[in-house]
Amino acid sequence: MDRRKFCKTTVAAAIAAATPVITACGEKAKVAAEAEASIRAVSLNGGEIELTKAMIRELGDAMTGPVILSEHPEYEGSRKIWNGMHDKHPALIARCLSSRDVAQAVNFARDHGLLTAIRGGGHSWPGKSMCDDGIVVDLSHMTNVEIDTGNKIGMTAGGALLGNLDDAALAKGLVTTAGVVSHTGVGGYTTGGGFGRLNRKYGLTIDNLVGAEIVTADGQIRYVSAEEEPDLFWAIRGGGGNFGAVTQFDFQLHDFDRNVLSGMIVWPIEQAREVLEFYADWQGSLSREMYTGPAMITHPEAGHVIAMEVVYNGDPTQGEKELAPLRAIGKPIADGVIVQDYKVLQTHEDGAVAHGIRSYAKNAMIGEFTQELVDDMVDAYIADPRAGIFTHTCGGAVADYGATDTAFPHRDTQTMIVFFTGWMDPAEDEVGKQMCRDWHAALEHHSLGYYDNIEQEGDTRVARNFGPNFARLREIKAQYDPGNQFRLNSNIEPA
Ligand code: FAD
């Protein structure tokens, strides 16, 4: 639906153009709320809703951050998210600067029955942090991270990026598991689970979450932990954005030497079978310090390659010993494994997947890295520079939790294979998507489920994917979000 069609009259359109932003910082004169103008928006079930200027002004008055409407100079920038394929036009963007702002925006959305998106870092592959004609509860300006060095806790605002968390923690000689691209948001990443280069040692990011502040659909600001509202705390550790907008994550941090043995070993794709067969045997014997998994990609200079990323979180001398058998496989064309700053590692993919790329992704949680999987990986390889696969290695501390200990159920898997395609030209959208689907389809029968956070088309399989946790998640959803206000996610319908 084109929200520009919603301006009922030319008078309304003129007023909307002249009054693009509503703030509560002494600039409310910008709002012509006394005018009999309104904007149209969309309800939770797709119906049309009229929002008068007075209503919007009331929200603006209640918030410290601005309410951004379509004609505001920051509207275009604020509606953009990472994946350039998603070009959505919300009716209004409530840019929150505090938990109280988030509560005001949620109350407004609920009271008016508005379609509601929660935006953290904006990395949602399927674009669920933005919506057409609804309200966006935008946390992207809430990025503060404070470190309690005594208790080794990282208090991280709900819109922070992983880079903000890494920077603040590393500066104090501390760390927790964070994903592989620093411009990913802590919000969506954590509520979905959180895989990263340290997860074999420290577990998923949710395993390091000791508490969180969350605004639920009733507008309440709650603190949840193992002691306080434990069901809700359980649900946000893997259940995604279904239960509210998390305004603060409190992470357990760990002492960390940021100089880690790490980097890539690269072989021509013709050696893929040899490398993968070795990996299938070797992987089960890895120490928790060692994180390594294959990627099949096109390198700008080396062409089609199989690569292994290596990160050893421990004494590099010990790491060299553990790595030696991998280094002896085949004839690598490059071996970039050196002792280097962890922060270099955590940012070195940032440019390759910069904002604006058009991208599609699917994934498969693999129980066991079998010979049949190796055969299929070799046979299904797509030699196209727009396509690639990489892996997140599980096991180790990830498997210290059982399937029902947190809402994230896939604890007994060895690996996650991520299939991704990326391109810039909109004319390639269909080809790009289909290539990813085809590659995934060739390997999907090896999977036990999928990781919600990296999935374009998961919604029809939500029940199966949450497995033993689905019924409990639905009960908790019914308690905290009975109207399914937060539905732009891998949606769990209230029981
Ligand atoms: P957004 O697009 O802002 O939000 C996505 C969804 O998360 C929203 O629709 C909402 O439902 C929910 N959400 C966001 N913020 C909050 C909040 N504060 N409270 C409650 N709900 C919220 N995942 C990994 O595990 N490991 C990786 O290494 C990894 N690498 C990635 C690299 C790239 C380039 C991309 C695009 C994704 C990667 N992901 C990875 C997946 C990533 O975890 C998800 O895309 C995640 O949803 C991104 O979070 P965000 O806050 O940036 O997303």
Side-chain angles (χ1 to χ4, degrees):
M1 207 176 334
D2 180 358
R3 75 161 298 281
R4 278 165 287 241
K5 284 188 203 140
F6 287 159
C7 282
K8 261 183 178 168
T9 64
T10 47
V11 175
I15 290 168
T19 60
V21 67
I22 297 164
T23 78
C25 302
E27 296 192 45
K28 297 186 190 78
K30 287 179 183 169
V31 183
E34 63 283 358
E36 300 209 349
S38 60
I39 60 170
R40 292 294 180 109
V42 75
S43 73
L44 285 169
N45 56 18
E48 284 190 10
I49 297 175
E50 184 173 331
L51 297 174
T52 65
K53 286 288 174 192
M55 290 171 179
I56 300 168
R57 180 176 180 164
E58 203 177 318
L59 174 61
D61 283 349
M63 288 181 56
T64 53
V67 177
I68 296 171
L69 306 181
S70 68
E71 307 300 332
H72 186 264
E74 289 179 32
Y75 179 80
E76 283 303 309
S78 303
R79 72 178 185 82
K80 295 252 163 56
I81 52 173
W82 171 80
N83 191 343
M85 270 208 297
H86 305 297
D87 182 29
K88 297 183 183 164
H89 293 80
L92 61 167
I93 299 172
R95 183 183 289 165
C96 302
L97 302 180
S98 66
S99 307
R100 208 180 141 269
D101 277 2
V102 174
Q104 296 296 347
V106 168
N107 283 335
F108 181 85
R110 187 202 56 245
D111 289 349
H112 298 294
L114 276 171
L115 181 67
T116 306
I118 305 173
R119 188 206 197 279
H123 262 215
S124 167
W125 237 297
K128 290 184 176 170
S129 47
M130 206 36 69
C131 58
D132 278 323
D133 306 312
I135 183 170
V136 176
V137 180
D138 180 2
L139 280 76
S140 65
H141 287 241
M142 293 170 61
T143 60
N144 190 45
V145 182
E146 274 179 46
I147 306 294
D148 171 351
T149 46
N151 294 306
K152 297 182 187 164
I153 301 291
M155 293 162 287
T156 308
L161 303 182
L162 297 181
N164 300 133
L165 173 60
D166 269 345
D167 284 345
L170 289 171
K172 305 286 184 192
L174 298 167
V175 81
T176 197
T177 305
V180 302
V181 173
S182 80
H183 47 77
T184 303
V186 166
Y189 164 84
T190 304
T191 52
F195 285 80
R197 296 176 169 112
L198 305 179
N199 61 219
R200 284 179 53 79
K201 177 88 168 176
Y202 305 129
L204 300 179
T205 305
I206 49 172
D207 304 337
N208 294 280
L209 191 67
V210 295
E213 184 188 78
I214 180 170
V215 176
T216 43
D218 57 4
Q220 295 296 307
I221 302 173
R222 303 165 190 268
Y223 191 79
V224 297
S225 66
E227 289 77 38
E228 294 164 77
E229 308 206 49
D231 278 348
L232 185 53
F233 182 55
W234 175 86
I236 62 167
R237 286 177 292 156
N242 270 288
F243 304 93
V246 178
T247 46
Q248 183 175 309
F249 296 91
D250 291 344
F251 294 116
Q252 185 66 62
L253 305 175
H254 311 271
D255 293 321
F256 186 62
D257 180 348
R258 60 193 287 170
N259 298 305
V260 284
L261 182 72
S262 57
M264 285 270 193
I265 308 177
V266 182
W267 297 260
I269 198 69
E270 292 71 26
Q271 295 177 40
R273 180 177 295 283
E274 193 179 352
V275 173
L276 290 172
E277 283 181 348
F278 168 79
Y279 181 72
D281 280 349
W282 183 59
Q283 194 213 31
S285 66
L286 296 178
S287 71
R288 290 182 174 217
E289 283 71 26
M290 182 64 85
Y291 175 93
T292 181
M296 298 167 91
I297 47 176
T298 306
H299 186 272
E301 283 124 42
H304 304 303
V305 298
I306 180 153
M308 294 283 270
E309 185 177 58
V310 174
V311 186
Y312 187 79
N313 176 15
D315 175 4
T317 315
Q318 197 55 38
E320 292 280 7
K321 281 189 199 150
E322 190 169 341
L323 191 58
L326 179 66
R327 283 188 149 143
I329 291 300
K331 292 194 178 65
I333 46 178
D335 182 341
V337 180
I338 53 170
V339 176
Q340 60 179 325
D341 187 351
Y342 176 71
K343 183 67 191 174
V344 172
L345 199 64
Q346 286 289 84
T347 50
H348 85 281
E349 311 291 351
D350 284 7
V353 287
H355 279 254
I357 189 173
R358 308 174 85 82
S359 185
Y360 196 83
K362 296 187 74 65
N363 74 87
M365 300 296 309
I366 302 294
E368 210 181 327
F369 216 102
T370 59
Q371 180 64 45
E372 292 71 33
L373 175 64
V374 171
D375 294 342
D376 287 348
M377 284 175 81
V378 172
D379 291 348
Y381 177 68
I382 296 181
D384 188 299
R386 292 169 294 187
I389 61 174
F390 66 90
T391 48
H392 277 295
T393 308
C394 314
V398 177
D400 286 348
Y401 289 76
T404 58
D405 289 342
T406 63
F408 176 81
H410 305 296
R411 296 289 183 165
D412 55 351
T413 50
Q414 281 189 347
T415 297
M416 181 207 311
I417 301 182
V418 179
F419 307 80
F420 69 95
T421 43
W423 61 96
M424 296 308 290
D425 183 351
E428 296 173 41
D429 283 358
E430 286 316 310
V431 176
K433 288 194 257 184
Q434 197 53 46
M435 215 176 338
C436 186
R437 289 189 191 120
D438 290 345
W439 202 342
H440 172 258
L443 299 180
E444 196 194 4
H445 59 284
H446 295 285
S447 94
L448 300 178
Y450 60 91
Y451 176 44
D452 265 325
N453 255 351
I454 306 182
E455 179 63 27
Q456 197 88 21
E457 292 171 316
D459 277 8
T460 54
R461 297 176 292 154
V462 168
R464 194 191 75 174
N465 197 49
F466 279 114
N469 295 332
F470 190 57
R472 184 174 175 196
L473 284 165
R474 289 195 66 200
E475 294 291 340
I476 298 169
K477 178 80 171 174
Q479 186 182 348
Y480 288 99
D481 185 15
N484 203 4
Q485 191 71 38
F486 304 112
R487 61 181 63 192
L488 294 178
N489 39 49
S490 263
N491 196 228
I492 297 161
E493 290 188 1

PDB file of all heavy atoms in Angstrom, residues 344-366:
ATOM      1  N   VAL A 344      39.994  -6.949  14.803  1.00  0.00           N
ATOM      2  CA  VAL A 344      40.232  -6.987  13.351  1.00  0.00           C
ATOM      3  C   VAL A 344      39.361  -8.080  12.742  1.00  0.00           C
ATOM      4  O   VAL A 344      38.689  -7.904  11.717  1.00  0.00           O
ATOM      5  CB  VAL A 344      41.727  -7.244  13.046  1.00  0.00           C
ATOM      6  CG1 VAL A 344      41.956  -7.470  11.559  1.00  0.00           C
ATOM      7  CG2 VAL A 344      42.587  -6.098  13.561  1.00  0.00           C
ATOM      8  N   LEU A 345      39.376  -9.210  13.414  1.00  0.00           N
ATOM      9  CA  LEU A 345      38.580 -10.353  12.960  1.00  0.00           C
ATOM     10  C   LEU A 345      37.087 -10.002  12.940  1.00  0.00           C
ATOM     11  O   LEU A 345      36.359 -10.316  11.994  1.00  0.00           O
ATOM     12  CB  LEU A 345      38.829 -11.454  13.984  1.00  0.00           C
ATOM     13  CG  LEU A 345      38.538 -12.876  13.668  1.00  0.00           C
ATOM     14  CD1 LEU A 345      39.435 -13.333  12.551  1.00  0.00           C
ATOM     15  CD2 LEU A 345      38.806 -13.710  14.930  1.00  0.00           C
ATOM     16  N   GLN A 346      36.645  -9.339  13.992  1.00  0.00           N
ATOM     17  CA  GLN A 346      35.221  -9.054  14.168  1.00  0.00           C
ATOM     18  C   GLN A 346      34.704  -7.990  13.203  1.00  0.00           C
ATOM     19  O   GLN A 346      33.489  -7.768  13.143  1.00  0.00           O
ATOM     20  CB  GLN A 346      34.952  -8.610  15.615  1.00  0.00           C
ATOM     21  CG  GLN A 346      35.013  -9.743  16.628  1.00  0.00           C
ATOM     22  CD  GLN A 346      33.830 -10.689  16.490  1.00  0.00           C
ATOM     23  OE1 GLN A 346      33.872 -11.602  15.655  1.00  0.00           O
ATOM     24  NE2 GLN A 346      32.793 -10.506  17.282  1.00  0.00           N
ATOM     25  N   THR A 347      35.595  -7.337  12.496  1.00  0.00           N
ATOM     26  CA  THR A 347      35.150  -6.285  11.568  1.00  0.00           C
ATOM     27  C   THR A 347      35.566  -6.573  10.122  1.00  0.00           C
ATOM     28  O   THR A 347      35.191  -5.830   9.229  1.00  0.00           O
ATOM     29  CB  THR A 347      35.728  -4.907  11.973  1.00  0.00           C
ATOM     30  OG1 THR A 347      37.142  -5.046  12.184  1.00  0.00           O
ATOM     31  CG2 THR A 347      35.100  -4.391  13.248  1.00  0.00           C
ATOM     32  N   HIS A 348      36.284  -7.664   9.901  1.00  0.00           N
ATOM     33  CA  HIS A 348      36.840  -7.783   8.550  1.00  0.00           C
ATOM     34  C   HIS A 348      35.817  -8.192   7.493  1.00  0.00           C
ATOM     35  O   HIS A 348      36.069  -8.056   6.307  1.00  0.00           O
ATOM     36  CB  HIS A 348      38.135  -8.623   8.521  1.00  0.00           C
ATOM     37  CG  HIS A 348      37.963 -10.104   8.436  1.00  0.00           C
ATOM     38  ND1 HIS A 348      37.647 -10.866   9.501  1.00  0.00           N
ATOM     39  CD2 HIS A 348      38.113 -10.952   7.402  1.00  0.00           C
ATOM     40  CE1 HIS A 348      37.590 -12.143   9.134  1.00  0.00           C
ATOM     41  NE2 HIS A 348      37.869 -12.217   7.859  1.00  0.00           N
ATOM     42  N   GLU A 349      34.615  -8.614   7.895  1.00  0.00           N
ATOM     43  CA  GLU A 349      33.561  -8.884   6.896  1.00  0.00           C
ATOM     44  C   GLU A 349      32.643  -7.669   6.701  1.00  0.00           C
ATOM     45  O   GLU A 349      31.758  -7.697   5.852  1.00  0.00           O
ATOM     46  CB  GLU A 349      32.664 -10.054   7.347  1.00  0.00           C
ATOM     47  CG  GLU A 349      33.354 -11.307   7.813  1.00  0.00           C
ATOM     48  CD  GLU A 349      34.062 -12.039   6.701  1.00  0.00           C
ATOM     49  OE1 GLU A 349      33.878 -11.658   5.528  1.00  0.00           O
ATOM     50  OE2 GLU A 349      34.823 -12.969   7.010  1.00  0.00           O
ATOM     51  N   ASP A 350      32.823  -6.643   7.505  1.00  0.00           N
ATOM     52  CA  ASP A 350      31.849  -5.538   7.505  1.00  0.00           C
ATOM     53  C   ASP A 350      31.648  -4.914   6.124  1.00  0.00           C
ATOM     54  O   ASP A 350      30.521  -4.619   5.718  1.00  0.00           O
ATOM     55  CB  ASP A 350      32.299  -4.428   8.474  1.00  0.00           C
ATOM     56  CG  ASP A 350      32.057  -4.793   9.934  1.00  0.00           C
ATOM     57  OD1 ASP A 350      31.672  -5.947  10.202  1.00  0.00           O
ATOM     58  OD2 ASP A 350      32.272  -3.933  10.795  1.00  0.00           O
ATOM     59  N   GLY A 351      32.763  -4.718   5.407  1.00  0.00           N
ATOM     60  CA  GLY A 351      32.672  -4.062   4.105  1.00  0.00           C
ATOM     61  C   GLY A 351      32.030  -4.955   3.059  1.00  0.00           C
ATOM     62  O   GLY A 351      31.255  -4.489   2.209  1.00  0.00           O
ATOM     63  N   ALA A 352      32.312  -6.243   3.124  1.00  0.00           N
ATOM     64  CA  ALA A 352      31.783  -7.183   2.121  1.00  0.00           C
ATOM     65  C   ALA A 352      30.264  -7.280   2.182  1.00  0.00           C
ATOM     66  O   ALA A 352      29.611  -7.583   1.186  1.00  0.00           O
ATOM     67  CB  ALA A 352      32.402  -8.557   2.322  1.00  0.00           C
ATOM     68  N   VAL A 353      29.713  -7.029   3.360  1.00  0.00           N
ATOM     69  CA  VAL A 353      28.248  -7.092   3.511  1.00  0.00           C
ATOM     70  C   VAL A 353      27.734  -5.744   4.019  1.00  0.00           C
ATOM     71  O   VAL A 353      26.994  -5.666   4.988  1.00  0.00           O
ATOM     72  CB  VAL A 353      27.813  -8.254   4.435  1.00  0.00           C
ATOM     73  CG1 VAL A 353      27.982  -9.585   3.755  1.00  0.00           C
ATOM     74  CG2 VAL A 353      28.578  -8.236   5.760  1.00  0.00           C
ATOM     75  N   ALA A 354      28.141  -4.706   3.303  1.00  0.00           N
ATOM     76  CA  ALA A 354      27.761  -3.351   3.729  1.00  0.00           C
ATOM     77  C   ALA A 354      26.255  -3.121   3.528  1.00  0.00           C
ATOM     78  O   ALA A 354      25.604  -3.827   2.753  1.00  0.00           O
ATOM     79  CB  ALA A 354      28.559  -2.338   2.918  1.00  0.00           C
ATOM     80  N   HIS A 355      25.735  -2.127   4.216  1.00  0.00           N
ATOM     81  CA  HIS A 355      24.322  -1.763   4.077  1.00  0.00           C
ATOM     82  C   HIS A 355      23.974  -1.474   2.621  1.00  0.00           C
ATOM     83  O   HIS A 355      24.756  -0.873   1.899  1.00  0.00           O
ATOM     84  CB  HIS A 355      24.021  -0.513   4.911  1.00  0.00           C
ATOM     85  CG  HIS A 355      23.808  -0.824   6.365  1.00  0.00           C
ATOM     86  ND1 HIS A 355      22.566  -0.806   6.951  1.00  0.00           N
ATOM     87  CD2 HIS A 355      24.664  -1.198   7.331  1.00  0.00           C
ATOM     88  CE1 HIS A 355      22.669  -1.139   8.224  1.00  0.00           C
ATOM     89  NE2 HIS A 355      23.937  -1.378   8.485  1.00  0.00           N
ATOM     90  N   GLY A 356      22.798  -1.918   2.208  1.00  0.00           N
ATOM     91  CA  GLY A 356      22.324  -1.617   0.860  1.00  0.00           C
ATOM     92  C   GLY A 356      22.414  -2.801  -0.081  1.00  0.00           C
ATOM     93  O   GLY A 356      21.736  -2.840  -1.110  1.00  0.00           O
ATOM     94  N   ILE A 357      23.250  -3.786   0.256  1.00  0.00           N
ATOM     95  CA  ILE A 357      23.331  -4.990  -0.572  1.00  0.00           C
ATOM     96  C   ILE A 357      21.944  -5.638  -0.611  1.00  0.00           C
ATOM     97  O   ILE A 357      21.172  -5.552   0.348  1.00  0.00           O
ATOM     98  CB  ILE A 357      24.380  -5.966   0.032  1.00  0.00           C
ATOM     99  CG1 ILE A 357      24.660  -7.129  -0.909  1.00  0.00           C
ATOM    100  CG2 ILE A 357      23.951  -6.469   1.404  1.00  0.00           C
ATOM    101  CD1 ILE A 357      25.820  -8.022  -0.440  1.00  0.00           C
ATOM    102  N   ARG A 358      21.601  -6.227  -1.734  1.00  0.00           N
ATOM    103  CA  ARG A 358      20.347  -7.004  -1.822  1.00  0.00           C
ATOM    104  C   ARG A 358      20.725  -8.443  -1.519  1.00  0.00           C
ATOM    105  O   ARG A 358      21.678  -8.970  -2.118  1.00  0.00           O
ATOM    106  CB  ARG A 358      19.725  -6.853  -3.209  1.00  0.00           C
ATOM    107  CG  ARG A 358      19.567  -5.406  -3.612  1.00  0.00           C
ATOM    108  CD  ARG A 358      19.090  -5.260  -5.034  1.00  0.00           C
ATOM    109  NE  ARG A 358      17.643  -5.353  -5.152  1.00  0.00           N
ATOM    110  CZ  ARG A 358      16.803  -4.352  -4.916  1.00  0.00           C
ATOM    111  NH1 ARG A 358      17.255  -3.176  -4.531  1.00  0.00           N
ATOM    112  NH2 ARG A 358      15.497  -4.510  -5.061  1.00  0.00           N
ATOM    113  N   SER A 359      20.030  -9.064  -0.627  1.00  0.00           N
ATOM    114  CA  SER A 359      20.514 -10.357  -0.157  1.00  0.00           C
ATOM    115  C   SER A 359      19.379 -11.276   0.271  1.00  0.00           C
ATOM    116  O   SER A 359      18.304 -10.824   0.681  1.00  0.00           O
ATOM    117  CB  SER A 359      21.482 -10.139   1.013  1.00  0.00           C
ATOM    118  OG  SER A 359      22.043 -11.357   1.415  1.00  0.00           O
ATOM    119  N   TYR A 360      19.660 -12.539   0.168  1.00  0.00           N
ATOM    120  CA  TYR A 360      18.690 -13.586   0.524  1.00  0.00           C
ATOM    121  C   TYR A 360      19.441 -14.664   1.273  1.00  0.00           C
ATOM    122  O   TYR A 360      20.611 -14.929   0.967  1.00  0.00           O
ATOM    123  CB  TYR A 360      18.090 -14.162  -0.756  1.00  0.00           C
ATOM    124  CG  TYR A 360      16.838 -14.950  -0.552  1.00  0.00           C
ATOM    125  CD1 TYR A 360      15.606 -14.320  -0.445  1.00  0.00           C
ATOM    126  CD2 TYR A 360      16.877 -16.342  -0.481  1.00  0.00           C
ATOM    127  CE1 TYR A 360      14.442 -15.048  -0.258  1.00  0.00           C
ATOM    128  CE2 TYR A 360      15.716 -17.076  -0.312  1.00  0.00           C
ATOM    129  CZ  TYR A 360      14.497 -16.417  -0.204  1.00  0.00           C
ATOM    130  OH  TYR A 360      13.348 -17.141  -0.024  1.00  0.00           O
ATOM    131  N   ALA A 361      18.802 -15.287   2.247  1.00  0.00           N
ATOM    132  CA  ALA A 361      19.526 -16.298   3.025  1.00  0.00           C
ATOM    133  C   ALA A 361      18.594 -17.385   3.515  1.00  0.00           C
ATOM    134  O   ALA A 361      17.392 -17.163   3.730  1.00  0.00           O
ATOM    135  CB  ALA A 361      20.206 -15.635   4.222  1.00  0.00           C
ATOM    136  N   LYS A 362      19.147 -18.555   3.647  1.00  0.00           N
ATOM    137  CA  LYS A 362      18.464 -19.670   4.294  1.00  0.00           C
ATOM    138  C   LYS A 362      19.529 -20.420   5.085  1.00  0.00           C
ATOM    139  O   LYS A 362      20.721 -20.167   4.910  1.00  0.00           O
ATOM    140  CB  LYS A 362      17.800 -20.582   3.255  1.00  0.00           C
ATOM    141  CG  LYS A 362      16.692 -19.878   2.487  1.00  0.00           C
ATOM    142  CD  LYS A 362      15.925 -20.799   1.583  1.00  0.00           C
ATOM    143  CE  LYS A 362      14.975 -21.725   2.298  1.00  0.00           C
ATOM    144  NZ  LYS A 362      13.878 -21.025   2.984  1.00  0.00           N
ATOM    145  N   ASN A 363      19.095 -21.311   5.944  1.00  0.00           N
ATOM    146  CA  ASN A 363      20.107 -22.039   6.701  1.00  0.00           C
ATOM    147  C   ASN A 363      19.597 -23.401   7.121  1.00  0.00           C
ATOM    148  O   ASN A 363      18.396 -23.692   7.051  1.00  0.00           O
ATOM    149  CB  ASN A 363      20.563 -21.229   7.919  1.00  0.00           C
ATOM    150  CG  ASN A 363      19.528 -21.206   9.019  1.00  0.00           C
ATOM    151  OD1 ASN A 363      19.481 -22.089   9.862  1.00  0.00           O
ATOM    152  ND2 ASN A 363      18.658 -20.192   9.009  1.00  0.00           N
ATOM    153  N   ALA A 364      20.522 -24.211   7.548  1.00  0.00           N
ATOM    154  CA  ALA A 364      20.177 -25.568   7.978  1.00  0.00           C
ATOM    155  C   ALA A 364      21.010 -25.907   9.212  1.00  0.00           C
ATOM    156  O   ALA A 364      22.238 -25.763   9.196  1.00  0.00           O
ATOM    157  CB  ALA A 364      20.479 -26.559   6.853  1.00  0.00           C
ATOM    158  N   MET A 365      20.333 -26.325  10.287  1.00  0.00           N
ATOM    159  CA  MET A 365      21.042 -26.776  11.485  1.00  0.00           C
ATOM    160  C   MET A 365      21.351 -28.258  11.292  1.00  0.00           C
ATOM    161  O   MET A 365      20.437 -29.080  11.159  1.00  0.00           O
ATOM    162  CB  MET A 365      20.182 -26.577  12.738  1.00  0.00           C
ATOM    163  CG  MET A 365      19.762 -25.144  13.045  1.00  0.00           C
ATOM    164  SD  MET A 365      21.093 -23.975  13.430  1.00  0.00           S
ATOM    165  CE  MET A 365      22.031 -24.800  14.680  1.00  0.00           C
ATOM    166  N   ILE A 366      22.627 -28.585  11.273  1.00  0.00           N
ATOM    167  CA  ILE A 366      23.069 -29.931  10.900  1.00  0.00           C
ATOM    168  C   ILE A 366      23.404 -30.747  12.159  1.00  0.00           C
ATOM    169  O   ILE A 366      24.235 -30.326  12.976  1.00  0.00           O
ATOM    170  CB  ILE A 366      24.332 -29.838  10.012  1.00  0.00           C
ATOM    171  CG1 ILE A 366      24.056 -28.995   8.757  1.00  0.00           C
ATOM    172  CG2 ILE A 366      24.856 -31.233   9.665  1.00  0.00           C
ATOM    173  CD1 ILE A 366      23.063 -29.590   7.793  1.00  0.00           C
TER     174      ILE A 366
END
